Amino acid sequence: MAKRAGVSIATVSYVLNGSRKVSPELREAVLRAVEEMGYIPNAVAKSLREQRTRTLGIVVPDIGNPFFSALIQAFEACAREQGYRVIVASSEEDGSLEEDALLNLTGRQVEGIALVPTQDLHNPPSKQVPLVVLDRLSRSLDVDAVGVENEASAYLATRFLLEQGHRRILVPASDLRLTNIQERIQGYLRALEERGLKADPSLLVECGRGPLEGVRRRIAEAIQRLQPTAVFPITNRLTLATLRAIRELGLRVPQDLSVIGFDDFEWSHLLDPPLTVVAQPVEALGREACRILLQRVLGLSGQGVYQVRLPCTLEVRGSVGPPRRGA
Amino acid sequence: MAKRAGVSIATVSYVLNGSRKVSPELREAVLRAVEEMGYIPNAVAKSLREQRTRTLGIVVPDIGNPFFSALIQAFEACAREQGYRVIVASSEEDGSLEEDALLNLTGRQVEGIALVPTQDLHNPPSKQVPLVVLDRLSRSLDVDAVGVENEASAYLATRFLLEQGHRRILVPASDLRLTNIQERIQGYLRALEERGLKADPSLLVECGRGPLEGVRRRIAEAIQRLQPTAVFPITNRLTLATLRAIRELGLRVPQDLSVIGFDDFEWSHLLDPPLTVVAQPVEALGREACRILLQRVLGLSGQGVYQVRLPCTLEVRGSVGPPRRGA
DNA sequence: TTGAAAGCGCTAACAG
DNA sequence: CTGTTAGCGCTTTCAA
């Protein structure tokens, strides 16, 4: 390469990295040559040599979901600030695509991976690369993890509905095998219990993670059959499906039915009506995951695992009111 | 490494890649050793050797914006299907971050870059890597590009408003230096002209790309001062700001004011009221960008440049009605 | 059918 | 202060 500068290949490295004192003349020559030929150092070679790629990976189930894209945004921002780039992979809620992604990222020598798993992780998928589990935590996996206080926040939301007088609260859930979903349900149940109410199991409807249309139909059917006075869908997709179902059924919110959604986003208060939601601190989640990973990279985290649980907030807007008379 | 298998390093490569016939015995031995030690080939070394990284880059101004995240989603899906991974970078609407990202990705030897530029590109940022400009196309840059028919779709939307009887249509714009914004404005103007109407320049308000709050304020102020009967914000951020402004002013849509937004997303028809929008074919945009890039990689695209323009559709929902009497 | 060895572009140890 | 060189882990000639 830039022997154009009439110097050794090593010298180029030295001036470009400032890793050694170089005389002004050579320095100049190198810089000029670099400029002239638009030389850009090959980061692949550099990575191979240094055994550092300055790359992180993040694997989410669905890039298009605003919650996950917000997670990616925060993760990327944090990484960039520390001089890292991030490879984004989607598992499409498919375990084998997830496995592929994990293997592929590991092979690419990313220095850390943030994973929102498609299923609860029971054993870490190889200890080759630092991993942080995001959002969908397992009950007791000994690995770094960042999630929210699912139980507490669902409890809070449910209590709010109970305080408004609701007794029949429909809870659309996605996949009961996921611990975070279970936790949210626990919170819901605890709020009921606390009031001495018995939970009607049929009010808990598992909708799966399939196409929105099917989810919507299932929820619509449940609303009609069970006549709840409130609905508390516990993911943002379920919230979307719920609102569609309600719209389709011609019900008014909150007069006919109150709704508390899950996850906040910029458009929530522009919905009809402004949606009361459990807001996850998504920015903090993404950044925290990144920080934990970089911490591991630098080796300045001990043996113990980080198990961060961030609180959610209840954003009260217009979609909750007292239950309909005679319900 | 897997001399554990008692074979040469090359043989491992052969069996793992199937790049040469290997006797069943050795084959077995290699596979077993690989399995035993959980060996994962180092893709960095492979990339260096093969001069192929199987990696694409995409640079967008804001990962959190649903339009861009949908773009990323489609781009990633297409890339993954072809065995590529994608590095996602955000420019945060900042030219120098964009430049950084471009340089960095180039250094990482990505095989192609999709770029939504912060400013119109006037000369390609180095010919080192195939580039496709996405969404924010320049008027006449000789480079691969994928965008939408901005002029035609804004024309369509405006004509729809005119047909409803609107004459004072406020058009919040982000940054008039962007060609795609200019094109949308052209479409708006053409629709007016066609009806023999003279455009009131003050109805075109440039709001910049700053914080939402400022944009909202500017739009609210314009609505109050100019008393339009319809608003046609020409990006999704402006649409968000517009709806907030309207909410704040206590106006009813469409009784007091009609709205056509830009960009569709899953929640559009759950807004209050269901939002009529110009829908960009965002999935197609992302996939097309990816396809063009991979085409270039394979060298099966000639000298000429691709300049794809996809049509938008007008999704008519409830936010447009006839103008208020006496307006 | 297999192995030895060169070399991808870089950094860092070692010499001068 | 600067250059030479080994070697990161892989693929791929070239020999055997």
Side-chain angles (χ1 to χ4, degrees):
Chain A
M1 108 85 193
K3 314 310 199 57
R4 173 119 161 211
V7 302
S8 84
I9 182 177
T11 301
V12 175
S13 173
Y14 296 136
V15 338
L16 258 33
N17 296 302
S19 43
R20 188 154 90 174
K21 288 212 75 62
V22 174
S23 72
E25 305 84 63
L26 288 194
R27 204 186 143 62
E28 268 313 304
V30 169
L31 260 19
R32 194 171 329 110
V34 163
E35 183 66 24
E36 278 174 19
M37 63 192 303
Y39 169 74
I40 300 173
N42 183 322
V44 173
K46 182 170 180 140
S47 289
L48 179 61
R49 175 61 229 243
E50 292 186 319
Q51 303 288 64
R52 300 197 63 190
T53 54
R54 290 173 190 282
T55 307
L56 299 178
I58 183 168
V59 183
V60 299
D62 176 11
I63 299 174
N65 182 315
F67 174 69
F68 297 127
S69 61
L71 229 39
I72 294 171
Q73 177 179 37
F75 187 79
E76 192 275 343
C78 174
R80 174 166 32 80
E81 288 161 14
Q82 308 299 322
Y84 278 70
R85 292 288 165 192
V86 3
I87 299 181
V88 172
S90 171
S91 65
E92 312 281 330
E93 294 285 11
D94 174 334
S96 62
L97 281 182
E98 172 178 305
E99 204 176 331
D100 278 4
L102 256 17
L103 267 173
N104 188 286
L105 291 174
T106 304
R108 284 165 184 266
Q109 317 296 115
V110 298
E111 296 177 33
I113 299 178
L115 170 67
V116 180
T118 57
Q119 302 291 343
D120 276 13
L121 242 42
H122 291 115
N123 30 25
S126 110
K127 286 263 52 159
Q128 311 224 17
V129 176
L131 181 87
V132 57
V133 177
L134 240 182
D135 180 44
R136 295 178 181 171
L137 280 37
S138 312
R139 206 164 290 287
S140 64
L141 177 58
D142 207 35
V143 67
D144 290 342
V146 188
V148 298
E149 291 167 356
N150 291 298
E151 204 272 351
S153 42
Y155 165 81
L156 215 69
T158 308
R159 203 181 62 178
F160 182 65
L161 288 171
L162 293 174
E163 280 165 359
Q164 301 285 315
H166 294 278
R167 290 301 175 264
R168 295 187 60 73
I169 304 170
L170 181 72
V171 176
S174 53
D175 187 328
L176 297 182
R177 291 167 301 179
L178 294 172
T179 295
N180 69 336
I181 296 302
Q182 291 166 13
E183 289 172 346
R184 289 171 196 180
I185 292 168
Q186 294 301 331
Y188 160 75
L189 294 175
R190 176 159 68 90
L192 291 181
E193 249 168 51
E194 194 182 72
R195 289 255 165 166
L197 299 169
K198 196 134 97 258
D200 174 353
S202 69
L203 283 171
L204 180 65
V205 302
E206 184 174 18
C207 303
R209 282 178 276 173
L212 205 60
E213 179 51 22
V215 177
R216 198 221 71 213
R217 205 162 37 228
R218 210 158 292 129
I219 294 173
E221 186 275 325
I223 291 175
Q224 285 199 288
R225 186 162 48 82
L226 302 165
Q227 296 287 314
T229 64
V231 193
F232 177 30
I234 55 180
T235 73
N236 66 359
R237 262 181 75 76
L238 293 164
T239 303
L240 177 58
T242 297
L243 295 183
R244 288 193 181 187
I246 289 172
R247 174 82 42 131
E248 178 211 22
L249 295 174
L251 298 172
R252 289 160 310 156
V253 178
Q255 295 89 335
D256 299 326
L257 198 57
S258 287
V259 180
I260 295 187
F262 221 95
D263 293 344
D264 200 11
F265 75 134
E266 292 176 314
W267 300 78
S268 295
H269 53 191
L270 298 171
L271 295 171
D272 175 28
L275 194 64
T276 296
V277 295
V278 173
Q280 299 197 60
V282 56
E283 158 100 17
L285 285 171
R287 296 196 92 95
E288 193 61 27
C290 173
R291 286 214 0 239
I292 289 178
L293 249 22
L294 293 180
Q295 207 108 127
R296 288 270 176 231
V297 168
L298 301 181
L300 39 88
S301 41
Q303 287 297 320
V305 300
Y306 292 95
Q307 296 271 9
V308 182
R309 290 283 193 154
L310 303 174
C312 298
T313 56
L314 186 66
E315 299 292 330
V316 177
R317 293 195 268 255
S319 64
V320 175
R324 197 182 50 225
R325 296 240 145 256
Chain B
M1 109 82 192
K3 313 310 197 59
R4 174 119 159 209
V7 302
S8 84
I9 183 177
T11 302
V12 175
S13 172
Y14 294 137
V15 338
L16 259 33
N17 297 303
S19 43
R20 187 153 91 175
K21 288 211 74 63
V22 175
S23 72
E25 306 85 60
L26 288 194
R27 204 186 143 62
E28 268 313 305
V30 169
L31 260 18
R32 195 172 329 111
V34 162
E35 183 66 23
E36 278 174 18
M37 62 191 305
Y39 170 73
I40 300 173
N42 183 323
V44 173
K46 182 172 179 134
S47 289
L48 179 60
R49 175 60 229 245
E50 292 186 319
Q51 304 288 65
R52 296 196 66 188
T53 53
R54 290 173 190 284
T55 307
L56 299 178
I58 183 168
V59 183
V60 301
D62 176 11
I63 298 175
N65 182 316
F67 174 69
F68 297 128
S69 61
L71 228 40
I72 294 171
Q73 176 178 39
F75 188 78
E76 192 275 342
C78 174
R80 175 166 31 78
E81 288 160 14
Q82 308 299 322
Y84 277 70
R85 292 288 164 191
V86 2
I87 298 180
V88 172
S90 171
S91 65
E92 312 281 331
E93 295 284 12
D94 174 335
S96 62
L97 281 181
E98 172 179 304
E99 203 176 335
D100 278 3
L102 256 18
L103 267 173
N104 188 286
L105 291 174
T106 304
R108 283 164 184 265
Q109 316 296 116
V110 299
E111 296 177 31
I113 299 176
L115 170 68
V116 180
T118 57
Q119 302 292 343
D120 277 13
L121 243 42
H122 290 116
N123 31 24
S126 110
K127 288 261 52 161
Q128 311 224 16
V129 175
L131 180 88
V132 57
V133 177
L134 240 180
D135 180 45
R136 295 178 181 171
L137 279 39
S138 312
R139 206 164 291 287
S140 64
L141 177 57
D142 206 36
V143 67
D144 291 342
V146 187
V148 298
E149 290 166 357
N150 291 299
E151 203 273 351
S153 41
Y155 165 80
L156 215 68
T158 308
R159 203 181 59 179
F160 181 66
L161 288 171
L162 293 173
E163 279 165 359
Q164 300 286 315
H166 293 278
R167 290 300 174 268
R168 293 186 61 72
I169 304 170
L170 182 70
V171 176
S174 53
D175 188 327
L176 297 182
R177 289 167 303 178
L178 295 172
T179 296
N180 69 337
I181 296 301
Q182 290 166 13
E183 289 172 347
R184 290 172 196 179
I185 292 168
Q186 295 301 331
Y188 160 75
L189 294 175
R190 177 160 65 92
L192 290 181
E193 249 168 52
E194 193 183 71
R195 289 254 165 168
L197 299 169
K198 195 133 97 259
D200 174 353
S202 69
L203 283 170
L204 180 65
V205 302
E206 184 173 18
C207 302
R209 283 177 276 175
L212 204 59
E213 179 50 21
V215 176
R216 196 222 73 213
R217 206 163 35 228
R218 210 157 293 128
I219 294 173
E221 186 274 325
I223 291 175
Q224 285 199 286
R225 186 163 47 83
L226 302 165
Q227 296 287 316
T229 64
V231 192
F232 177 30
I234 55 180
T235 73
N236 66 0
R237 261 181 75 76
L238 293 164
T239 303
L240 177 59
T242 297
L243 294 183
R244 288 192 180 186
I246 289 172
R247 175 83 40 131
E248 179 211 22
L249 295 173
L251 299 172
R252 290 161 309 158
V253 177
Q255 294 89 335
D256 299 327
L257 199 56
S258 288
V259 180
I260 295 186
F262 220 96
D263 292 345
D264 200 13
F265 75 134
E266 292 176 312
W267 300 78
S268 295
H269 53 191
L270 298 171
L271 296 171
D272 175 27
L275 195 64
T276 297
V277 295
V278 173
Q280 299 197 61
V282 55
E283 158 100 16
L285 284 171
R287 295 196 93 95
E288 194 60 28
C290 172
R291 287 215 359 242
I292 288 178
L293 249 21
L294 293 180
Q295 207 109 126
R296 288 269 175 230
V297 168
L298 301 181
L300 39 88
S301 40
Q303 287 297 321
V305 300
Y306 292 95
Q307 298 270 8
V308 182
R309 290 285 191 151
L310 302 174
C312 298
T313 55
L314 186 65
E315 300 291 329
V316 177
R317 295 194 268 254
S319 64
V320 175
R324 196 181 53 226
R325 297 237 144 258

